[in-house]
């Protein structure tokens, strides 16, 4: 409906603000909640930023893994849990073999890929059988797969599957330990490759941003088709200004004695996250990306015009599962401990909540939503226990609040979507 | 002949065949391992009675058209409040149990009404929304448990705020139904009171389903367009079904708690809905069809499976959690199967 | 002219669905650059013929068809819509196959996106090739220009007027390089008059470029305006092929409708007009998707069997559904002189109206419920019948329901294993009788029956219609029948209204001429009559 109103150019600024806030209600609400939380947590800014950067590096990849299924009209893929499992299988194997550092990580990437692809394929097949109920199916599928996962690693490893490793196995010789320490193994395998200080990172981001802005200015002066004009204009202004701001701010920090100078950013991880963003953009401009969108918008029309929509849907889920597997690798190398039976369980829920908080919906999601959502959701993660403790004398309360928010925002967002669909159905 | 067998298998449902075969082979193993069959049967009966009402809560939900009621935790929370209030009032025995139920029913009616109104707005996605409504209600009530002003020592921590995670019912209404007129034959104990209560609840639901409103509710769930043409208010009867389901959930958890001996707060109710959903599906229900007999068959089979699996697994392997893993795989597997049968494949 | 080779030739096409012959030896031949009108009532076989042309799966999953299709003189087997597309057969759909969230370009180039031709792209597998939006825009522009559409190609389809959407569909078809035959399926049905004019102009232009056009419509004046030749189908039979110059609107109307009135139960004419008015509709509007009723006025007299006919999509189905409150409606409705509260099914039932829906399986029945409950439920819910009251609560009365159901089964001759059988297992005719039984259980004064014989066999058809006549005669129930089968209406009704574009085009006696019926169905009657007066 928004597009319709958008045609009317005479909308006043006030209307625009109103519409903007209506469309982004969830996000705006979160900015406010996060701010209040931050205020009452009484955290120092530097500590907060440090924590936030760690968490972004840890989680952004997983959130980005959700975008493609949304494009393909399959809603939020709760089944990325299966991808996470694939990642963990690889980590367990590599830890067992005792391969450490980035080499170990690379082998994890290679091993997890075929497993994730098989999982994704099966998930896609199942979701094709339950069209219209994809989300509840993928949610339950996550639980189901968790059962199988436990069966394998708690019962079969050491009994049916031969394995001998005192550090990994329980004392009985059957089943893996509840938590596996990755220190000295895969911990920080990628994060510690290169670390830059925050100002230096900001400087670099600023420079890249200015370059992108400059490229857009160059494109603009060379002349662009009408339909792109406003887009390019917006891009060149935004990127240039943001870039300048970053560079200036980095100077301000360096010349001050702020604790921010001590923050060290895991550059390789960040760059890979950046590359994943580019990959998402790339995919959306290819033939298959267009097919994802077509199938997502209208499966019937897609089929009539000759697109094999079932196949496209499976592909979307395979990609998502694969990315989730790799995302889980990044998550765990940063965290440093694999909680064998728990690390994957909440992955789907937290990633989805983050995406939705960033302003995505069941039918619309992009990189901006993913990144903004990650920042906001993890801000809440950092501040809510401390704020809870400061306000009510109990950190637990903040944690329950956090869980409530995660579940609530998913429920709310799905509910709003279903309601809107019903209203539209009535109008027709 | 082969075709006939095929049709029969299809009607009975592949997963049900697997589950029954699995259960039977477990029983054979139990005999081989020399486990007490009477003991296992008693356990199964107790757990059937314990979970029966929660499973029964699925029936009105399915029949009124909201599908599998994954939002059961909403009802459970209402029941928990009732259970706590009766302790706070310092009641003991049957009065305590009855008060718990009587307090929880009006709360459940209000909550169920709101829940029904919510589900009327999200037709087509009820199950997903219900799941998250349940999850978020449990988290919200977790905050609630920390700040609700209960004073009784049995409920609240003596130091610091908030309620205990587990509240023991010993001396209140622990096993009050289980022990009522219980009959012991050798090793076999029949929890007469518990089973009678379950049968009574089923009877009440059956009577409701035969009433004018119940028949209207079934028509609404079966075919909303037909119901509209028959002059029925579809949303009204869906709400009616949601309320009924929520109230049964509330009573169900009280029955469950008295049998269990404890009231569990905080995150405990989170996944209780899934077990109930799985049980009724195992009994032969689908997303659209359910009956009282499905409740009995399903609960008995599912709980029987879990009861037998535990000691057998312990004999076979030293690893302890096989029974829990079985529960996860079986319950979620059957739900997945039911979802593929909805006919989403056009 | 004659020497020109035909592009498409369909010869001796026959098709059976489950033993019923729906097409019998149809021939269709079209030359390049010709606009060929395909005329026929609903059920004449037009859509089946087109389904065969497009190789739709309904055809192949029901045993294929007999006959041959030749394209450019070569025999072809068309097994899938995709293949039809590859062969150069295109369709402008009646319900738009457009994606609202896409730009016009993206819609025109749907699944035919252009690929960038740089080096890296050539190395990529097909699905990872980058899309060339600029080039796509250019080609889309070209297609739009051919149609003289000035609209920008990069704006989104959502929110565009319906007329534009139609043109985007056409642009998509003519953008296909190899297009030879283009089918327009009732393209003007949703357009305003000026939009329709533009469309016809565009069609002529496309035809001039050498594409053959099959034009399916019921608007005879449009046929006269653009078509070169005309093929008329009726009841699956090939009736005639004529050049436009050799025929006129009247003849076409007659050929479309003309048939012998089947000798179903005929009954004596009745002096209806002296009876009081049973149902009076004034400025009646119903928003039933695809069957809208617009500002309709109609009086139906007590004790008559009143027929409502017309082509599909014109709104005849909407009238009964509107009166029963099943679709949003507005206007004035008087039942026996008293106003009826609209949009309230319960109220309509209370006013002694009963309805047998056209959508038997969707609205008419609880398929997995027993016959007896299906018969009893509406009366139970609305008139508190079949209930035992225990003050605090009520229970259904098993005995009363059973007695009544057995009575109905006997009365209407419902063939079943017993009142407990679920209705899904019954044949279409018996299901329909269950629906009628339920309606009768309400003791209605006015019975609305929609498409009473759709999908049921001939024997059952006669039984159902006889039942309706009996009810009318013996119980004096006013009956309003909506039906697509004109012959059926003409055999049992006292008067028949024909609906066109949501309004009553006119009311005819059953024995009025075929030409009048044909003209009314195609909405030409009043236009032509007013011209005659002048």
């Amino acid at each position: 409906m928004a597009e319709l109103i958008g045609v009317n150019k005479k909308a006043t600024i006030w209307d625009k603000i109103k519409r903007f806030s209506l469309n982004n209600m969830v996000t705006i609400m979160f900015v406010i909640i996060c701010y209040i939380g931050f205020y009452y947590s009484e955290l120092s800014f530097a500590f907060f930023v440090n924590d936030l950067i760690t968490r972004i590096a840890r989680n952004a990849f997983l959130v980005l893994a959700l975008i493609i299924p949304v494009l393909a009209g399959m809603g939020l893929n709760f089944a990325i849990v299966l991808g996470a499992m694939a990642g963990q299988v690889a980590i367990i194997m590599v830890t067992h073999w005792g391969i450490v550092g980035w080499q170990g990580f690379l082998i994890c990437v290679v091993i997890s890929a075929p497993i994730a692809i098989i999982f994704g394929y099966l998930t896609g097949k199942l979701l094709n059988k339950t069209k219209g109920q994809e989300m509840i199916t993928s949610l339950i599928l996550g639980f189901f797969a968790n059962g199988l996962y436990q069966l394998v690693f708690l019962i079969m490893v050491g009994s049916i599957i031969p394995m001998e490793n005192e550090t990994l196995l329980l004392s009985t010789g059957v089943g893996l330990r509840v938590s596996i320490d990755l220190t000295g193994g895969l911990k920080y395998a990628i994060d510690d490759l290169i670390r830059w200080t925050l100002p230096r990172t900001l400087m670099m981001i600023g420079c890249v941003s200015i370059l992108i802005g400059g490229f857009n200015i160059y494109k603009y002066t060379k002349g662009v088709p009408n339909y792109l004009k406003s887009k390019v204009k917006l891009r060149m202004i935004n990127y240039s200004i943001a870039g300048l701001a970053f560079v200036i701010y980095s100077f301000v920090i360096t010349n001050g004695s702020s604790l921010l100078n001590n923050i060290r950013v895991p550059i390789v991880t960040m760059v890979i996250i950046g590359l994943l963003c580019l990959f998402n953009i790339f995919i959306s401009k290819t033939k298959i990306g267009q097919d994802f969108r077509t199938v997502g918008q209208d499966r019937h029309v897609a089929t009539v015009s000759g697109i094999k929509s079932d196949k496209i849907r499976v592909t979307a889920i395979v990609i998502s599962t694969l990315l989730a597997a790799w995302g889980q690798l990044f998550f765990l190398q940063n965290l440093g401990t694999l909680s064998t039976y728990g690390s994957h369980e909440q992955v789907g829920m937290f990633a989805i909540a983050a995406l939705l908080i960033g302003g995505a919906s069941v039918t619309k999601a992009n990189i901006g939503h993913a990144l903004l959502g990650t920042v906001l959701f993890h801000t809440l993660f950092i501040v809510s226990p401390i704020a809870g403790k400061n306000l009510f004398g109990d950190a637990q309360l903040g944690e329950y609040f956090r869980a409530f928010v995660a579940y609530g925002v998913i429920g709310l967002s799905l509910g709003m979507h279903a309601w809107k669909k019903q209203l539209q159905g009535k109008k027709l | 002949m082969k075709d006939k067998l095929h049709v029969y298998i299809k009607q009975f449902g592949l997963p049900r065949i697997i589950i029954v075969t699995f259960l039977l082979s477990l029983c054979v193993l139990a005999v081989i391992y020399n486990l007490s069959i009477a003991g296992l049967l008693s356990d199964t009966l107790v757990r059937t009675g314990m979970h029966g009402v929660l499973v029964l809560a699925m029936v009105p939900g399915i029949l009124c058209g909201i599908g599998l009621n994954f939002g059961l935790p909403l009802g459970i929370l209402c029941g928990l409040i009732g259970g706590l209030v009766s302790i706070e009032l310092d009641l003991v025995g049957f009065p305590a149990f009855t008060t718990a139920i009587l307090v929880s029913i009006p709360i459940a009616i209000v909550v169920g009404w709101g829940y029904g109104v919510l589900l009327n707005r999200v037709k087509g996605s009820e199950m997903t929304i219900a799941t998250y409504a349940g999850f978020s209600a449990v988290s919200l009530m977790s905050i609630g448990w920390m700040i609700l002003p209960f004073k009784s020592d049995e409920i609240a921590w003596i130091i610091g705020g908030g309620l205990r995670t587990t509240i023991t019912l010993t001396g209140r209404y622990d096993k009050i139904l289980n022990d009522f007129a219980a009959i012991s034959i050798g090793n076999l104990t029949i929890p007469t009171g518990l089973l009678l209560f379950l049968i009574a609840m089923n009877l009440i639901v059956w009577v409701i389903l035969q009433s004018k409103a119940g028949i209207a509710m079934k028509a609404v769930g079966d075919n909303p367009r037909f119901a509209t043409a028959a002059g029925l208010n579809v949303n009204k009867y869906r709400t009616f079904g949601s309320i009924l389901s929520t109230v049964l959930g509330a009573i169900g958890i009280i029955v469950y708690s008295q049998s269990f001996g404890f009231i569990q707060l905080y995150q405990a109710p989170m996944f209780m809905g899934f077990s109930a959903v799985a049980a009724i599906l195992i009994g032969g229900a689908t997303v659209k069809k359910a009956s009282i007999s499905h409740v009995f068959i399903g609960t008995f089979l599912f709980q029987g499976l879990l009861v037998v699996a535990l000691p057998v697994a312990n004999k076979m392997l030293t690893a302890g959690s096989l029974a829990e893993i079985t529960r996860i795989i079986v319950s979620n597997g059957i739900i997945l199967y039911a979802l593929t049968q909805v006919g989403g494949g056009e | 002219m004659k020497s020109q080779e035909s592009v498409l030739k369909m010869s001796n096409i026959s098709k059976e669905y489950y033993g019923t012959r729906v097409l019998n030896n149809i021939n269709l031949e079209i030359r390049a650059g010709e606009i060929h009108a395909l005329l026929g009532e609903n059920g004449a076989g037009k859509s089946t013929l087109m389904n065969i042309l497009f190789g739709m799966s309904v055809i192949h999953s029901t045993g294929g068809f007999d006959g041959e299709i030749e394209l450019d003189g070569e025999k072809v087997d068309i097994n899938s819509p995709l293949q039809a597309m590859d062969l150069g057969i295109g369709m402008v759909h009646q319900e738009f196959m457009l994606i609202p969230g896409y730009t016009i370009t993206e819609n025109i180039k749907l699944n035919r996106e252009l690929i960038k031709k740089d080096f890296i792209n050539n190395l990529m597998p097909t699905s990872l090739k980058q899309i060339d939006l600029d080039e796509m825009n250019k080609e889309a522009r070209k297609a739009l220009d051919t149609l003289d559409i000035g609209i920008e190609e990069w704006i989104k389809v959502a929110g565009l007027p319906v007329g534009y959407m139609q043109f985007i569909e056409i642009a998509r078809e003519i953008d296909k390089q190899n297009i030879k035959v283009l089918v327009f399926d009732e393209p003007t049905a949703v357009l305003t008059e000026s939009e329709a004019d533009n469309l016809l102009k565009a069609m002529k232009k496309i035809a001039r470029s050498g594409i053959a056009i099959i034009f399916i419509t019921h608007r005879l004046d449009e046929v006269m305006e653009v078509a070169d030749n005309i093929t008329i189908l009726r009841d699956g039979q090939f009736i005639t092929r004529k050049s436009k110059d050799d025929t006129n609107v009247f003849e076409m109307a007659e050929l479309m409708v003309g048939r012998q009135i089947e000798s179903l139960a005929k009954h004596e004419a009745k002096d209806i007009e002296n009876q009081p008015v049973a149902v009076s509709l004034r400025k009646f509007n119903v928003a039933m998707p695809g069957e809208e009723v617009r500002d309709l006025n109609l009086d139906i007299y007590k004790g008559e069997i009143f027929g409502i006919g017309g082509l599909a999509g014109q709104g005849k189905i909407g009238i009964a559904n509107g009166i029963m409150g099943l679709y949003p409606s507005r206007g004035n409705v008087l039942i026996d002189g008293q106003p009826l509260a609209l949009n309230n099914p319960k109220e309509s039932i209370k006013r002694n109206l009963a309805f047998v829906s056209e959508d038997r399986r969707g609205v008419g029945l609880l398929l997995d419920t027993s016959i007896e409950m299906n018969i009893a439920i509406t009366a139970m819910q609305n008139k508190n019948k079949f209930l035992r009251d225990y003050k605090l609560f009520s229970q259904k009365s098993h005995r009363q329901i059973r007695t009544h159901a057995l009575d109905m089964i006997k009365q209407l001759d419902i063939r079943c294993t017993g009142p407990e059988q679920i209705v899904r297992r019954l044949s279409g005719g018996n299901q329909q009788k269950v629906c009628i039984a339920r309606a009768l259980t309400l003791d209605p004064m006015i019975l609305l029956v929609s498409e009473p014989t759709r999908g049921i066999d001939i024997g059952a058809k006669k039984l159902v219609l006889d039942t309706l006549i009996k009810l009318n005669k013996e119980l004096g129930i006013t009956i309003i029948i909506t039906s697509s089968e004109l012959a059926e209406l003409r055999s049992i009704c006292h008067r028949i209204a024909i609906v066109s574009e949501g309004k009553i085009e006119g009311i005819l006696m059953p024995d009025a001429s075929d030409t009048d019926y044909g003209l009314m169905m195609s909405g030409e009657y009043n236009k032509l009559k007013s011209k005659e007066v002048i």
Side-chain angles (χ1 to χ4, degrees), chain C residues 17 20 70 73 103 231 237 245 264 348 386 391 418 457 482 487 499:
Chain C
Y17 276 126
T20 353
E70 276 178 31
T103 64
T231 293
Q237 305 284 342
D245 307 325
L264 285 164
S348 300
F386 310 117
K391 297 298 166 217
D457 60 68
T482 312
V499 178

Side-chain angles (χ1 to χ4, degrees), chain A residues 228-249:
Chain A
L228 279 176
K229 248 185 190 144
S230 56
K231 249 190 199 167
V232 173
K233 216 167 169 179
L234 203 70
R235 259 189 233 154
M236 68 188 197
I237 294 170
N238 286 352
Y239 277 107
S240 311
I241 291 180
L244 273 176
F246 276 133
V247 172
I248 294 169
Y249 189 54

